[in-house]
PDB file of all heavy atoms in Angstrom:
ATOM      1  N   SER A   1       0.817  -1.212  -0.003  1.00  0.00           N
ATOM      2  CA  SER A   1       0.007   0.013   0.008  1.00  0.00           C
ATOM      3  C   SER A   1       0.895   1.246  -0.014  1.00  0.00           C
ATOM      4  O   SER A   1       2.125   1.130   0.148  1.00  0.00           O
ATOM      5  CB  SER A   1      -0.915   0.022   1.209  1.00  0.00           C
ATOM      6  OG  SER A   1      -0.199   0.051   2.381  1.00  0.00           O
ATOM      7  N   ARG A   2       0.230   2.373  -0.188  1.00  0.00           N
ATOM      8  CA  ARG A   2       0.970   3.654  -0.097  1.00  0.00           C
ATOM      9  C   ARG A   2       0.105   4.752   0.352  1.00  0.00           C
ATOM     10  O   ARG A   2      -1.128   4.694   0.223  1.00  0.00           O
ATOM     11  CB  ARG A   2       1.620   3.990  -1.480  1.00  0.00           C
ATOM     12  CG  ARG A   2       0.633   4.622  -2.528  1.00  0.00           C
ATOM     13  CD  ARG A   2      -0.201   3.535  -3.189  1.00  0.00           C
ATOM     14  NE  ARG A   2      -1.008   4.066  -4.244  1.00  0.00           N
ATOM     15  CZ  ARG A   2      -2.251   4.566  -4.129  1.00  0.00           C
ATOM     16  NH1 ARG A   2      -2.800   4.590  -2.924  1.00  0.00           N
ATOM     17  NH2 ARG A   2      -2.852   4.968  -5.189  1.00  0.00           N
ATOM     18  N   ASP A   3       0.743   5.770   0.996  1.00  0.00           N
ATOM     19  CA  ASP A   3       0.115   6.989   1.493  1.00  0.00           C
ATOM     20  C   ASP A   3       0.720   8.082   0.720  1.00  0.00           C
ATOM     21  O   ASP A   3       1.812   8.554   1.061  1.00  0.00           O
ATOM     22  CB  ASP A   3       0.270   7.123   2.989  1.00  0.00           C
ATOM     23  CG  ASP A   3      -0.493   8.300   3.563  1.00  0.00           C
ATOM     24  OD1 ASP A   3      -0.794   9.247   2.816  1.00  0.00           O
ATOM     25  OD2 ASP A   3      -0.782   8.256   4.747  1.00  0.00           O
ATOM     26  N   ASN A   4       0.018   8.545  -0.343  1.00  0.00           N
ATOM     27  CA  ASN A   4       0.636   9.493  -1.248  1.00  0.00           C
ATOM     28  C   ASN A   4       1.010  10.843  -0.594  1.00  0.00           C
ATOM     29  O   ASN A   4       2.094  11.387  -0.784  1.00  0.00           O
ATOM     30  CB  ASN A   4      -0.278   9.784  -2.453  1.00  0.00           C
ATOM     31  CG  ASN A   4      -0.278   8.627  -3.426  1.00  0.00           C
ATOM     32  OD1 ASN A   4       0.318   7.560  -3.207  1.00  0.00           O
ATOM     33  ND2 ASN A   4      -1.027   8.749  -4.520  1.00  0.00           N
ATOM     34  N   PRO A   5       0.157  11.431   0.222  1.00  0.00           N
ATOM     35  CA  PRO A   5       0.528  12.665   0.877  1.00  0.00           C
ATOM     36  C   PRO A   5       1.746  12.592   1.759  1.00  0.00           C
ATOM     37  O   PRO A   5       2.431  13.550   1.934  1.00  0.00           O
ATOM     38  CB  PRO A   5      -0.765  13.039   1.674  1.00  0.00           C
ATOM     39  CG  PRO A   5      -1.851  12.366   1.032  1.00  0.00           C
ATOM     40  CD  PRO A   5      -1.310  11.091   0.544  1.00  0.00           C
ATOM     41  N   LYS A   6       1.973  11.386   2.302  1.00  0.00           N
ATOM     42  CA  LYS A   6       3.145  11.161   3.189  1.00  0.00           C
ATOM     43  C   LYS A   6       4.355  10.665   2.393  1.00  0.00           C
ATOM     44  O   LYS A   6       5.432  10.500   3.006  1.00  0.00           O
ATOM     45  CB  LYS A   6       2.830  10.250   4.293  1.00  0.00           C
ATOM     46  CG  LYS A   6       1.841  10.796   5.313  1.00  0.00           C
ATOM     47  CD  LYS A   6       1.589   9.739   6.449  1.00  0.00           C
ATOM     48  CE  LYS A   6       0.549  10.307   7.395  1.00  0.00           C
ATOM     49  NZ  LYS A   6       0.309   9.405   8.510  1.00  0.00           N
ATOM     50  N   ASN A   7       4.164  10.415   1.087  1.00  0.00           N
ATOM     51  CA  ASN A   7       5.203   9.811   0.291  1.00  0.00           C
ATOM     52  C   ASN A   7       5.829   8.607   0.921  1.00  0.00           C
ATOM     53  O   ASN A   7       7.049   8.394   0.951  1.00  0.00           O
ATOM     54  CB  ASN A   7       6.365  10.865  -0.042  1.00  0.00           C
ATOM     55  CG  ASN A   7       5.894  11.966  -0.915  1.00  0.00           C
ATOM     56  OD1 ASN A   7       5.227  11.689  -1.972  1.00  0.00           O
ATOM     57  ND2 ASN A   7       6.210  13.219  -0.632  1.00  0.00           N
ATOM     58  N   THR A   8       4.939   7.687   1.413  1.00  0.00           N
ATOM     59  CA  THR A   8       5.411   6.529   2.128  1.00  0.00           C
ATOM     60  C   THR A   8       4.677   5.347   1.609  1.00  0.00           C
ATOM     61  O   THR A   8       3.533   5.373   1.369  1.00  0.00           O
ATOM     62  CB  THR A   8       5.128   6.711   3.616  1.00  0.00           C
ATOM     63  OG1 THR A   8       5.845   7.846   4.132  1.00  0.00           O
ATOM     64  CG2 THR A   8       5.516   5.413   4.437  1.00  0.00           C
ATOM     65  N   GLY A   9       5.452   4.240   1.361  1.00  0.00           N
ATOM     66  CA  GLY A   9       4.922   3.003   1.040  1.00  0.00           C
ATOM     67  C   GLY A   9       5.001   1.959   2.129  1.00  0.00           C
ATOM     68  O   GLY A   9       5.832   2.134   3.072  1.00  0.00           O
ATOM     69  N   TYR A  10       4.146   0.963   2.144  1.00  0.00           N
ATOM     70  CA  TYR A  10       4.122  -0.046   3.192  1.00  0.00           C
ATOM     71  C   TYR A  10       4.059  -1.442   2.557  1.00  0.00           C
ATOM     72  O   TYR A  10       3.491  -1.667   1.502  1.00  0.00           O
ATOM     73  CB  TYR A  10       2.886   0.181   4.056  1.00  0.00           C
ATOM     74  CG  TYR A  10       2.828   1.511   4.697  1.00  0.00           C
ATOM     75  CD1 TYR A  10       2.081   2.520   4.070  1.00  0.00           C
ATOM     76  CD2 TYR A  10       3.458   1.788   5.891  1.00  0.00           C
ATOM     77  CE1 TYR A  10       2.057   3.794   4.627  1.00  0.00           C
ATOM     78  CE2 TYR A  10       3.378   3.088   6.431  1.00  0.00           C
ATOM     79  CZ  TYR A  10       2.666   4.076   5.821  1.00  0.00           C
ATOM     80  OH  TYR A  10       2.596   5.304   6.424  1.00  0.00           O
ATOM     81  N   LEU A  11       4.641  -2.334   3.351  1.00  0.00           N
ATOM     82  CA  LEU A  11       4.434  -3.808   3.020  1.00  0.00           C
ATOM     83  C   LEU A  11       3.946  -4.487   4.290  1.00  0.00           C
ATOM     84  O   LEU A  11       4.684  -4.584   5.275  1.00  0.00           O
ATOM     85  CB  LEU A  11       5.751  -4.423   2.538  1.00  0.00           C
ATOM     86  CG  LEU A  11       5.662  -5.894   2.120  1.00  0.00           C
ATOM     87  CD1 LEU A  11       4.851  -5.998   0.800  1.00  0.00           C
ATOM     88  CD2 LEU A  11       7.030  -6.440   1.890  1.00  0.00           C
ATOM     89  N   GLN A  12       2.744  -4.902   4.305  1.00  0.00           N
ATOM     90  CA  GLN A  12       2.165  -5.642   5.385  1.00  0.00           C
ATOM     91  C   GLN A  12       2.332  -7.110   5.108  1.00  0.00           C
ATOM     92  O   GLN A  12       1.857  -7.691   4.084  1.00  0.00           O
ATOM     93  CB  GLN A  12       0.606  -5.301   5.524  1.00  0.00           C
ATOM     94  CG  GLN A  12      -0.096  -6.079   6.685  1.00  0.00           C
ATOM     95  CD  GLN A  12       0.443  -5.716   8.026  1.00  0.00           C
ATOM     96  OE1 GLN A  12       0.512  -4.522   8.317  1.00  0.00           O
ATOM     97  NE2 GLN A  12       0.674  -6.690   8.861  1.00  0.00           N
ATOM     98  N   MET A  13       2.955  -7.794   6.045  1.00  0.00           N
ATOM     99  CA  MET A  13       3.276  -9.230   5.895  1.00  0.00           C
ATOM    100  C   MET A  13       2.553 -10.026   6.916  1.00  0.00           C
ATOM    101  O   MET A  13       2.808  -9.840   8.138  1.00  0.00           O
ATOM    102  CB  MET A  13       4.839  -9.446   5.956  1.00  0.00           C
ATOM    103  CG  MET A  13       5.590  -8.622   4.928  1.00  0.00           C
ATOM    104  SD  MET A  13       7.346  -8.895   5.055  1.00  0.00           S
ATOM    105  CE  MET A  13       7.754  -8.025   6.569  1.00  0.00           C
ATOM    106  N   ASN A  14       1.677 -10.879   6.491  1.00  0.00           N
ATOM    107  CA  ASN A  14       0.854 -11.756   7.407  1.00  0.00           C
ATOM    108  C   ASN A  14       1.195 -13.211   7.131  1.00  0.00           C
ATOM    109  O   ASN A  14       1.668 -13.599   6.100  1.00  0.00           O
ATOM    110  CB  ASN A  14      -0.595 -11.478   7.147  1.00  0.00           C
ATOM    111  CG  ASN A  14      -1.018 -10.044   7.461  1.00  0.00           C
ATOM    112  OD1 ASN A  14      -0.498  -9.369   8.367  1.00  0.00           O
ATOM    113  ND2 ASN A  14      -1.937  -9.517   6.670  1.00  0.00           N
ATOM    114  N   ARG A  15       0.808 -14.001   8.073  1.00  0.00           N
ATOM    115  CA  ARG A  15       0.950 -15.449   8.101  1.00  0.00           C
ATOM    116  C   ARG A  15       2.366 -15.813   7.556  1.00  0.00           C
ATOM    117  O   ARG A  15       2.539 -16.600   6.633  1.00  0.00           O
ATOM    118  CB  ARG A  15      -0.125 -16.093   7.161  1.00  0.00           C
ATOM    119  CG  ARG A  15      -1.531 -15.813   7.690  1.00  0.00           C
ATOM    120  CD  ARG A  15      -2.580 -16.610   7.022  1.00  0.00           C
ATOM    121  NE  ARG A  15      -2.596 -16.458   5.533  1.00  0.00           N
ATOM    122  CZ  ARG A  15      -3.146 -15.440   4.844  1.00  0.00           C
ATOM    123  NH1 ARG A  15      -3.744 -14.480   5.552  1.00  0.00           N
ATOM    124  NH2 ARG A  15      -3.085 -15.366   3.552  1.00  0.00           N
ATOM    125  N   MET A  16       3.315 -15.200   8.189  1.00  0.00           N
ATOM    126  CA  MET A  16       4.730 -15.326   7.724  1.00  0.00           C
ATOM    127  C   MET A  16       5.300 -16.729   7.907  1.00  0.00           C
ATOM    128  O   MET A  16       4.884 -17.489   8.820  1.00  0.00           O
ATOM    129  CB  MET A  16       5.614 -14.296   8.358  1.00  0.00           C
ATOM    130  CG  MET A  16       5.146 -12.887   8.083  1.00  0.00           C
ATOM    131  SD  MET A  16       6.338 -11.645   8.656  1.00  0.00           S
ATOM    132  CE  MET A  16       7.591 -11.866   7.439  1.00  0.00           C
ATOM    133  N   LYS A  17       6.201 -17.091   7.001  1.00  0.00           N
ATOM    134  CA  LYS A  17       6.813 -18.418   6.976  1.00  0.00           C
ATOM    135  C   LYS A  17       8.311 -18.228   7.086  1.00  0.00           C
ATOM    136  O   LYS A  17       8.891 -17.161   6.756  1.00  0.00           O
ATOM    137  CB  LYS A  17       6.518 -19.089   5.657  1.00  0.00           C
ATOM    138  CG  LYS A  17       5.050 -19.232   5.354  1.00  0.00           C
ATOM    139  CD  LYS A  17       4.845 -19.787   3.989  1.00  0.00           C
ATOM    140  CE  LYS A  17       3.375 -19.954   3.597  1.00  0.00           C
ATOM    141  NZ  LYS A  17       3.158 -20.545   2.216  1.00  0.00           N
ATOM    142  N   PRO A  18       9.047 -19.240   7.537  1.00  0.00           N
ATOM    143  CA  PRO A  18      10.514 -19.162   7.577  1.00  0.00           C
ATOM    144  C   PRO A  18      11.083 -18.822   6.178  1.00  0.00           C
ATOM    145  O   PRO A  18      12.127 -18.146   6.144  1.00  0.00           O
ATOM    146  CB  PRO A  18      10.918 -20.589   7.943  1.00  0.00           C
ATOM    147  CG  PRO A  18       9.792 -21.073   8.835  1.00  0.00           C
ATOM    148  CD  PRO A  18       8.559 -20.522   8.126  1.00  0.00           C
ATOM    149  N   GLU A  19      10.458 -19.203   5.112  1.00  0.00           N
ATOM    150  CA  GLU A  19      10.964 -18.884   3.754  1.00  0.00           C
ATOM    151  C   GLU A  19      10.906 -17.357   3.491  1.00  0.00           C
ATOM    152  O   GLU A  19      11.503 -16.904   2.544  1.00  0.00           O
ATOM    153  CB  GLU A  19      10.116 -19.594   2.729  1.00  0.00           C
ATOM    154  CG  GLU A  19      10.020 -21.079   2.902  1.00  0.00           C
ATOM    155  CD  GLU A  19       8.905 -21.534   3.682  1.00  0.00           C
ATOM    156  OE1 GLU A  19       8.914 -21.547   4.901  1.00  0.00           O
ATOM    157  OE2 GLU A  19       7.855 -21.941   3.096  1.00  0.00           O
ATOM    158  N   ASP A  20      10.159 -16.600   4.330  1.00  0.00           N
ATOM    159  CA  ASP A  20      10.141 -15.152   4.192  1.00  0.00           C
ATOM    160  C   ASP A  20      11.376 -14.488   4.719  1.00  0.00           C
ATOM    161  O   ASP A  20      11.553 -13.258   4.588  1.00  0.00           O
ATOM    162  CB  ASP A  20       8.893 -14.571   4.778  1.00  0.00           C
ATOM    163  CG  ASP A  20       7.654 -15.065   4.174  1.00  0.00           C
ATOM    164  OD1 ASP A  20       7.585 -15.178   2.883  1.00  0.00           O
ATOM    165  OD2 ASP A  20       6.633 -15.298   4.855  1.00  0.00           O
ATOM    166  N   THR A  21      12.187 -15.160   5.462  1.00  0.00           N
ATOM    167  CA  THR A  21      13.423 -14.620   6.087  1.00  0.00           C
ATOM    168  C   THR A  21      14.360 -14.105   4.992  1.00  0.00           C
ATOM    169  O   THR A  21      14.729 -14.834   4.079  1.00  0.00           O
ATOM    170  CB  THR A  21      14.145 -15.735   6.885  1.00  0.00           C
ATOM    171  OG1 THR A  21      13.300 -16.086   7.970  1.00  0.00           O
ATOM    172  CG2 THR A  21      15.437 -15.150   7.431  1.00  0.00           C
ATOM    173  N   ALA A  22      14.650 -12.809   5.060  1.00  0.00           N
ATOM    174  CA  ALA A  22      15.481 -12.169   4.032  1.00  0.00           C
ATOM    175  C   ALA A  22      15.727 -10.721   4.459  1.00  0.00           C
ATOM    176  O   ALA A  22      15.166 -10.177   5.370  1.00  0.00           O
ATOM    177  CB  ALA A  22      14.771 -12.189   2.680  1.00  0.00           C
ATOM    178  N   THR A  23      16.594 -10.138   3.663  1.00  0.00           N
ATOM    179  CA  THR A  23      16.752  -8.672   3.731  1.00  0.00           C
ATOM    180  C   THR A  23      15.737  -8.062   2.688  1.00  0.00           C
ATOM    181  O   THR A  23      15.759  -8.486   1.558  1.00  0.00           O
ATOM    182  CB  THR A  23      18.182  -8.183   3.411  1.00  0.00           C
ATOM    183  OG1 THR A  23      19.065  -8.754   4.315  1.00  0.00           O
ATOM    184  CG2 THR A  23      18.290  -6.705   3.483  1.00  0.00           C
ATOM    185  N   TYR A  24      14.948  -7.123   3.210  1.00  0.00           N
ATOM    186  CA  TYR A  24      13.893  -6.553   2.327  1.00  0.00           C
ATOM    187  C   TYR A  24      14.328  -5.155   1.921  1.00  0.00           C
ATOM    188  O   TYR A  24      14.803  -4.348   2.730  1.00  0.00           O
ATOM    189  CB  TYR A  24      12.572  -6.486   3.082  1.00  0.00           C
ATOM    190  CG  TYR A  24      11.882  -7.813   3.175  1.00  0.00           C
ATOM    191  CD1 TYR A  24      12.351  -8.824   3.952  1.00  0.00           C
ATOM    192  CD2 TYR A  24      10.735  -8.077   2.378  1.00  0.00           C
ATOM    193  CE1 TYR A  24      11.755 -10.103   4.005  1.00  0.00           C
ATOM    194  CE2 TYR A  24      10.096  -9.337   2.459  1.00  0.00           C
ATOM    195  CZ  TYR A  24      10.657 -10.324   3.223  1.00  0.00           C
ATOM    196  OH  TYR A  24      10.021 -11.542   3.252  1.00  0.00           O
TER     197      TYR A  24
END
């Protein structure tokens, strides 16, 4: 998602798995 007035993006990560382990 993103908040245009704040010039900020987001990544919401749910039901996470060990395979998601990484540098983002």
Side-chain angles (χ1 to χ4, degrees):
S1 62
R2 78 279 189 272
D3 186 335
N4 287 4
K6 295 182 179 179
N7 289 316
T8 300
Y10 303 91
L11 184 68
Q12 178 67 47
M13 302 181 288
N14 299 322
R15 302 191 303 280
M16 298 190 73
K17 306 175 181 179
E19 304 93 276
D20 296 322
T21 295
T23 300
Y24 283 71

